[in-house]
Amino acid sequence: MLLDFHRLGGLKWVLVGIGLCVAAFLLLPILFTVALSFGSSQWLVFPPPAWTLRWYEELFADPRWIDSTLTSLQCAVLVTILSVGLGLLASFGLVRGSFPGREAVRAMFLMPMIMPVIVVAVALYAFFLRIGLGGTLVGFVLAHTVIALPLAITSICNALERFDKAIEDAAILCGANPWEAKLRITIPAIREGLFGAAVFAFLTSWDEVVIAIFMASPTLQTLPVHIWGTLRQDLTPVVAAASTLLLLFTLALMLVAAWFRGRTK
């Protein structure tokens, strides 16, 4: 092995220290937010003078928070279904297809992933406003699918490229038709890539705020948009409580994804 961590001497402690500093830099703002959500002060004060669950009670008693959470959940589920379905079809074409301009088509699919989000948001807002989809759930779903689809395609394409197509061909030689071979052999074999695509698509829609701000209306807002709007009006700890629940849900989803990857290895 070219680099053995245990043979680095004093340097390994320097690396450990740098790693801990980076971890603290990334985690401390999150831990502060969690602590503020249990603080008794009506403002975002740290350290909290006392501890309370009052802000979580206000959060669950306010229908606006519940509605925005349900909107986020509904939008994320629909985006996940749409992204994985379209991503699977597009990935088969990109990996198995041999047509002129295939790499250009792949680059076109991945373009929303490398473009600034604000540019995508302004373009989608202008287009959806013209066709009457601004401030609608359909508009939210389509807009989030635009930025989630490249991640889904990347995950599924990687899984398809690692899959040995000879196994699918052998199933066809044994009597299965091409669709049956794909459904019973190929798709189960690339389930890790499909699951990764689903997780990426869900989290992209669940946490997205820039495009959602442009697509929102007074009666239809996602949870991140409602958090952003509340922060602009009042620094209430209810925002910290909502952010903590958002964080816990995202963390739970990542743990499920890690568990699923462990089972498929």
Side-chain angles (χ1 to χ4, degrees), residues 103-118:
E103 293 306 316
V105 173
R106 183 193 292 265
M108 184 190 70
F109 274 123
L110 302 182
M111 193 171 293
M113 192 165 56
I114 59 177
M115 289 184 66
V117 179
I118 188 66

Side-chain angles (χ1 to χ4, degrees), residues 14 25 44 55 82 99 115 126 137 155 169 203 205 213 218 229:
V14 175
F25 178 76
L44 296 175
W55 313 117
L82 201 57
F99 53 90
M115 289 184 66
L137 181 62
S155 177
D169 294 337
L203 291 180
S205 175
I213 288 176

Side-chain angles (χ1 to χ4, degrees), residues 175-260:
N177 62 52
W179 284 107
E180 189 178 8
K182 284 182 173 58
L183 289 175
R184 302 185 63 178
I185 302 297
T186 306
I187 290 180
I190 63 170
R191 60 185 180 279
E192 185 181 353
L194 292 172
F195 186 76
V199 171
F200 282 136
F202 187 93
L203 291 180
T204 298
S205 175
W206 179 252
D207 293 335
E208 204 284 327
V209 65
V210 178
I211 293 177
I213 288 176
F214 280 85
M215 298 303 300
S217 70
T219 57
L220 189 69
Q221 295 181 346
T222 59
L223 182 57
V225 172
H226 192 58
I227 291 175
W228 171 250
T230 305
L231 270 178
R232 295 182 62 187
Q233 299 172 1
D234 186 14
L235 291 176
T236 171
V238 177
V239 173
S243 301
T244 301
L245 293 179
L246 191 67
L247 170 68
L248 290 177
F249 185 80
T250 304
L251 184 62
L253 194 60
M254 293 177 65
L255 290 175
V256 171
W259 173 79
F260 184 82

Side-chain angles (χ1 to χ4, degrees), residues 15-94:
L15 295 177
V16 169
I18 293 174
L20 291 175
C21 289
V22 172
F25 178 76
L26 295 175
L27 292 178
L28 279 180
I30 298 174
L31 296 178
F32 280 140
T33 301
V34 174
L36 291 173
S37 71
F38 293 100
S40 60
S41 172
Q42 62 178 337
W43 310 108
L44 296 175
V45 177
F46 189 87
W51 305 100
T52 180
L53 293 175
R54 171 188 169 189
W55 313 117
Y56 287 92
E57 294 172 355
E58 290 191 8
L59 175 69
F60 288 111
D62 191 338
R64 293 173 299 177
W65 286 103
I66 302 299
D67 289 344
S68 60
T69 302
L70 293 177
T71 299
S72 278
L73 194 59
Q74 189 177 14
C75 183
V77 170
L78 293 175
V79 168
T80 301
I81 296 172
L82 201 57
S83 298
V84 173
L86 294 176
L88 181 62
L89 297 176
S91 299
F92 269 112
L94 292 173

